[in-house]
Amino acid sequence: MSGDASSSAPLQGQAAKDGGDRAGSVKQQLSRLFKASLSATVPDEPNIEPLVEVCTAKFGDYQCNNAMGLWSRIKGKSTEFKNPNSVGQAIARNLPPSDIIESTSVAGPGFVNIVLSDKWVAQSIQQMLLSGIGTWAPILSVPKAVVDFSSPNIAKEMHVGHLRSTIIGDTLARMLEFSNVEVLRRNHVGDWGTQFGMLIEHLFDKFPNWEEAGEQAIGDLQEFYKASKRRFDDDSTFMEKAQKAVVRLQGGEARYRDAWKKICEISRKEFDLVYQCLGVHLEEKGESFYNPYIPGVLEELSNKGLIEESDGARVIFIEGHQIPLIVVKRDGGYNYASTDLAALWYRLNIEKANWIIYVTDVGQSQHFDMFFSAARRAGWLPDSNGNLYPKASHVGFGLVLGSDGKRFRTRSSEVVRLVELLDEAKSRSKTELQKRLKENGKIAEWTDEELEKTAEAIGYGAVKYADLKNNRLTNYTFSFDQMLNDKGNTAVYLLYAHARICSIIRKSGRDVEELKKTGNIVLGEPDERILGLHLIKFAEVVEEACTNLLPNILCEYLYNLSEKFTGFYSRCPVVGSAEETSRLLLCEATAVVMRKCFYLLGITPVYKI
């Protein structure tokens, strides 16, 4: 086996080539203009990357911040420039002609402020409406990624920790897929290990004819697991039998393999109920899949001098860590580290992934830090953490807490079952929806199916958004009352806001598809321009959320979009106004962008309330 798949290099050219008709984000388009300007301004200073950011002050919409850094590089050399401001002036002067920029100004130590052309902003929005939101997908510098998420353990209940991994992982996968990255969604289930010895032995003891009894023999898998665990802890004879059963299973004995397959199958059905509710798609490649690759991978690492003997175990010593990474236990068995190394080898060499992303709780940060360090020592990953590929990232997340500030559990201190939690979210959402419709006299206009689907969209959407809107590294408090509130930064508020926009368009009686072809957007009022500017920042927000692996960046954008639309709608009359056509198109563009945000967050939009 060889780990030479990692030709450490940036992949910028690949991304640009695959961009197709996409121009990239506004920031990327401006960066291309400034790159040309920088080459003309300082031809003797090659490879200067443009520093373009959104302008926070009132001097412009965007800003180029290269002048000060450039000045520190060129002062003292023979140069025409006297100070950073003169460098900024030259950068502004050397910009190629472009429809994007209305005007530039230079402030302080050479900050180049850019005001975008209203006409260009309006045309960009109109073009998106005609060609589809896909033309606003960002251009990322990575062709293929693995997102490893959810990953529950067979025979154990999925709990709120798995909920976070599943929701965050799905959103990251959706954002990367939208950005035209090929994404391998991997469910690295715990389907191989010592717990199967006790489960299989318990099954054989209690149900000698388990093949005929099938699923009835096992019944509730969680209760079955607990019963076998009690026996394992209390009965030394049973423990011994269970340990021998693991050896027989791993040795490939047919009867044990069949029982293992049956247990996995039952567990998988329970997981699938949750994935169905959440609308999440994964391809399972569990621990057992990588098991055959472990010996070859360990041999390669051993040949490279990474593996050493220590206290009867085989380990890899990692600089900066007192304890080593154990890859073969004293009893000769494998563990998480050996499986993870084999999985990473497979993903790099067989699946040829450029970016491998692991979504687990922050409690596993040390494991990933050590495991990635071992991969760098092996030459599988580049030493630098910069823009070199292939790369591996751990997406850590905090705990879900109850109202008491402790880990979220049921009253009997049990871990909360995910299916029950989602059912309750839907049930509460339905109760609130029915109450609202009765109060406004619209309940008769709704079919049972519409009620059911809307309650589901709002209930499941509320759970997802409450999680995703927080920085994933922080703990968050689970509260149905807060997440189902229709005011503030909640999915309910945002879904209702989207439905109201759809209602405005419906009430106009105009054919929006026709308007897209024949009408024009004009950003005449300040609130129209504010909304238009926010809309065209969509691509760079998705890009930033992908690059930093932070879904909350997209949530913040979506909430701010809704707020900016409210400002526009309250001060710019739509239906019946002289600007009706233009403003209806702005309404439609807002709805289209909101729907794409919902999709990326795994939330189903609502069209009527």
Side-chain angles (χ1 to χ4, degrees):
M1 278 190 175
S2 166
D4 294 337
S6 71
S7 51
S8 302
L11 297 166
Q12 309 295 346
Q14 178 71 35
K17 197 169 65 188
D18 295 344
D21 296 333
R22 290 175 292 146
S25 64
V26 178
K27 207 185 275 188
Q28 285 173 332
Q29 292 179 65
L30 288 172
S31 292
R32 288 198 286 273
L33 294 174
F34 277 99
K35 189 145 182 94
S37 169
L38 288 164
S39 297
T41 305
V42 281
D44 298 334
E45 298 289 332
N47 303 322
I48 294 173
E49 284 304 311
L51 303 174
V52 177
E53 296 299 333
V54 171
C55 198
T56 49
K58 57 180 180 288
F59 306 114
D61 303 318
Y62 285 81
Q63 194 174 64
C64 175
N65 300 330
N66 283 88
M68 279 179 74
L70 258 182
W71 171 247
S72 65
R73 282 170 70 162
I74 60 176
K75 68 179 175 185
K77 299 180 184 178
S78 57
T79 172
E80 64 190 270
F81 304 111
K82 298 187 180 73
N83 52 38
N85 185 280
S86 63
V87 178
Q89 297 285 355
I91 293 171
R93 209 168 38 247
N94 288 325
L95 276 167
S98 167
D99 293 340
I100 302 176
I101 298 173
E102 182 68 42
S103 65
T104 60
S105 60
V106 180
F111 298 125
V112 182
N113 296 311
I114 306 124
V115 175
L116 298 182
S117 154
D118 290 357
K119 187 179 176 186
W120 179 82
V121 172
Q123 284 173 344
S124 298
I125 296 167
Q126 204 149 352
Q127 193 54 50
M128 179 277 288
L129 286 174
L130 284 168
S131 307
I133 188 89
T135 55
W136 277 7
I139 299 169
L140 299 186
S141 59
V142 54
K144 195 181 208 182
V146 167
V147 183
D148 178 327
F149 66 106
S150 193
S151 309
N153 287 313
I154 293 287
K156 288 188 182 176
E157 190 67 69
M158 280 181 83
H159 54 74
V160 284
H162 295 119
L163 178 69
R164 291 211 78 181
S165 177
T166 307
I167 289 171
I168 294 166
D170 181 52
T171 289
L172 294 175
R174 284 170 183 257
M175 291 193 300
L176 289 164
E177 285 160 351
F178 174 63
S179 307
N180 290 276
V181 176
E182 183 187 349
V183 178
L184 307 179
R185 296 160 159 260
R186 293 286 176 259
N187 200 3
H188 190 91
V189 296
D191 66 350
W192 199 247
T194 50
Q195 80 267 31
F196 284 99
M198 67 182 193
L199 287 164
I200 292 168
E201 212 47 60
H202 185 59
L203 178 66
F204 288 171
D205 279 1
K206 297 291 174 191
F207 302 96
N209 63 335
W210 68 270
E211 291 99 332
E212 289 140 49
E215 288 183 28
Q216 284 71 35
I218 292 172
D220 184 322
L221 193 52
Q222 272 60 53
E223 291 306 316
F224 190 84
Y225 180 89
K226 286 175 193 170
S228 66
K229 182 78 171 77
R230 277 193 297 271
R231 287 185 72 193
F232 187 85
D233 292 341
D234 301 342
D235 182 343
S236 57
T237 310
F238 178 75
M239 183 199 276
E240 204 176 308
K241 283 168 74 178
Q243 287 165 340
K244 284 177 180 166
V246 175
V247 177
R248 290 173 139 181
L249 168 64
Q250 294 182 346
E253 213 170 296
R255 186 161 168 256
Y256 287 81
R257 293 289 281 206
D258 289 346
W260 168 73
K261 282 179 186 167
K262 175 52 73 178
I263 292 165
C264 289
E265 189 187 309
I266 295 168
S267 214
R268 214 170 272 128
K269 282 181 184 171
E270 294 193 15
F271 298 159
D272 285 345
L273 287 175
V274 173
Y275 297 141
Q276 221 171 330
C277 285
L278 295 172
V280 170
H281 304 286
L282 284 138
E283 185 183 346
E284 187 182 305
K285 271 191 167 62
E287 290 173 2
S288 62
F289 177 85
Y290 302 106
N291 210 52
Y293 296 93
I294 295 175
V297 167
L298 295 184
E299 186 185 351
E300 180 189 322
L301 297 175
S302 204
N303 291 341
K304 288 181 175 179
L306 267 71
I307 297 178
E308 302 174 43
E309 297 286 331
S310 175
D311 291 338
R314 299 181 71 204
V315 305
I316 299 173
F317 285 98
I318 306 293
E319 197 179 332
H321 292 274
Q322 290 184 328
I323 52 164
L325 188 71
I326 299 170
V327 293
V328 182
K329 296 184 290 186
R330 285 180 192 172
D331 63 4
Y334 301 134
N335 60 3
Y336 284 130
S338 31
T339 306
D340 280 344
L341 285 163
L344 180 60
W345 180 90
Y346 184 88
R347 289 160 178 179
L348 290 170
N349 290 278
I350 309 299
E351 293 179 323
K352 306 286 186 195
N354 312 102
W355 194 6
I356 298 98
I357 298 161
Y358 299 84
V359 187
T360 76
D361 64 275
V362 288
Q364 296 185 47
S365 297
Q366 187 186 46
H367 166 74
F368 281 101
D369 187 33
M370 293 175 75
F371 154 49
F372 293 162
S373 295
R376 281 193 289 275
R377 276 190 65 195
W380 297 356
L381 299 173
D383 287 333
S384 161
N385 288 327
N387 293 321
L388 297 181
Y389 290 88
K391 66 177 176 178
S393 304
H394 175 226
V395 175
F397 55 81
L399 298 172
V400 182
L401 306 175
S403 54
D404 58 359
K406 295 177 183 171
R407 199 185 277 257
F408 188 46
R409 293 182 181 276
T410 63
R411 284 191 182 138
S412 58
S413 291
E414 292 281 328
V415 170
V416 177
R417 293 179 77 154
L418 219 41
V419 174
E420 290 168 9
L421 182 138
L422 292 169
D423 284 348
E424 186 172 351
K426 179 181 169 181
S427 166
R428 285 180 180 232
S429 165
K430 190 173 180 181
T431 303
E432 281 299 313
L433 184 61
Q434 285 171 320
K435 184 179 157 199
R436 187 189 182 102
L437 290 170
K438 280 173 187 167
E439 283 170 2
N440 64 21
K442 290 184 178 176
I443 191 83
E445 298 169 23
W446 286 61
T447 64
D448 288 347
E449 189 188 2
E450 280 178 322
L451 261 175
E452 199 69 19
K453 283 191 171 170
T454 306
E456 203 168 271
I458 293 172
Y460 298 163
V463 171
K464 288 185 178 187
Y465 190 80
D467 188 320
L468 294 167
K469 75 175 181 181
N470 301 291
N471 183 313
R472 57 177 167 75
L473 292 166
T474 58
N475 298 338
Y476 91 96
T477 302
F478 191 97
S479 161
F480 278 122
D481 290 339
Q482 279 183 321
M483 62 179 65
L484 290 168
N485 194 330
D486 61 1
K487 292 174 181 66
N489 189 6
T490 66
V492 187
Y493 166 75
L494 293 165
L495 286 165
Y496 284 174
H498 171 262
R500 276 193 290 275
I501 296 169
C502 295
S503 169
I504 293 163
I505 296 166
R506 276 197 304 272
K507 282 176 182 168
S508 75
R510 306 282 296 277
D511 181 346
V512 172
E513 292 308 310
E514 196 53 42
L515 289 185
K516 287 179 191 178
K517 296 172 197 159
T518 57
N520 285 309
I521 294 174
V522 179
L523 305 176
E525 293 293 325
D527 284 295
E528 292 172 319
R529 189 175 196 278
I530 288 166
L531 178 60
L533 266 180
H534 194 73
L535 286 168
I536 62 161
K537 286 175 186 164
F538 173 69
E540 65 208 46
V541 167
V542 177
E543 181 187 0
E544 189 188 343
C546 285
T547 306
N548 297 303
L549 301 168
L550 290 171
N552 61 297
I553 290 170
L554 183 64
C555 295
E556 189 183 342
Y557 171 85
L558 174 58
Y559 179 67
N560 288 337
L561 175 58
S562 178
E563 294 288 276
K564 283 174 171 46
F565 180 83
T566 301
F568 154 77
Y569 189 63
S570 62
R571 287 181 285 273
C572 300
V574 178
V575 179
S577 70
E579 301 83 2
E580 181 180 272
T581 297
S582 170
R583 289 176 181 172
L584 279 172
L585 288 171
L586 277 174
C587 289
E588 175 67 6
T590 304
V592 167
V593 172
M594 284 187 88
R595 281 197 287 277
K596 183 49 74 175
C597 287
F598 287 140
Y599 174 79
L600 297 176
L601 298 168
I603 296 170
T604 304
V606 170
Y607 291 85
K608 74 173 201 175
I609 47 167

